[in-house]
Amino acid sequence: MSTTWNPWHGCTKISAGCRHCYMYRRDAEYGKNSSIVTKTSSFRLPVQKDRHGEYKVKPEDGIVYTCFTSDFFHPDADIWRKEAWDMMRERSDLTFYFITKRPERFSVLLPEDWGDGWDNVHICCTCENQFEIGRRLPIFLKLPIRHKSVIVEPMLQHVTMARIFEQYPGAIEQVTCGGESGPDARICDYEWVMDLMLECVRYDVPFHFMQTGTYFRKGGRVYHIKNHPDQISQAAKARIDYPPVK
């Protein structure tokens, strides 16, 4: 089980991985401007209560996937971020999980009692290519965050993280990778995925293959996997997660 909380919606494209973002594609279907960051009607979801005075989101509801239609550290959301942090502090019984391409803005409006991080906040940095691995991760992995993960998605090229693993041993809780979805998706190659997985095994970093993407190359052949659920199930069938899924 899990809960999705999007306190604000909309973002700005800042790198190659943003080109075919699913959020832009979905908004276009409804004539929305994805580049305008707006506060959502579910802004106070974590602290909303029912008529009995109980929180609507229960600890047993699982991880709260946070801000998946924006970037938590987007500058246009600075006016709301303090209140969002306050809600996470209040709901220390929940785990908030969010992804960013802007680790350099982490300290903007950071709570004074943050210290070395809150145990109920898990932050992931996404890096779609070698350039962003080299640019974002040295910033991200030095930050005072208790739970850090890395997502290589959409995986746009062969990458190596060996130097990162050596420079920041034990800093990364998991590496996730996956291909790009959508009609204009760029190819993801199985060899890229395997090489990254083998690096994770070598440095004993948990690895998860999330999805193949729409166009997936394996053994010299490109497969068109149109439906997103099929992209996820095909990745699972590869059985290359580390540690292995039992």
Side-chain angles (χ1 to χ4, degrees), residues 131-165:
F131 175 79
E132 297 300 348
I133 285 174
R135 187 182 73 85
R136 292 180 184 146
L137 293 190
I139 299 172
F140 175 66
L141 295 175
K142 293 175 184 176
L143 296 173
I145 301 169
R146 289 194 183 181
H147 302 288
K148 302 185 186 86
S149 292
V150 174
I151 297 181
V152 183
E153 187 179 302
M155 193 177 200
L156 301 180
Q157 64 176 199
H158 183 275
V159 300
T160 176
M161 291 184 60
R163 182 173 296 181
I164 292 292
F165 293 149

Side-chain angles (χ1 to χ4, degrees), residues 1 8 14 23 38 42 46 53 61 64 67 75 79 128 132 141-143 147 151 158 173 222 231-232 238 244:
M1 295 180 64
W8 45 85
I14 60 171
M23 186 266 295
T38 57
S42 60
D61 289 337
V64 180
C67 220
I79 56 176
E128 63 270 29
E132 297 300 348
L141 295 175
K142 293 175 184 176
L143 296 173
H147 302 288
I151 297 181
H158 183 275
E173 293 190 8
V222 176
Q231 296 169 26
I232 295 174

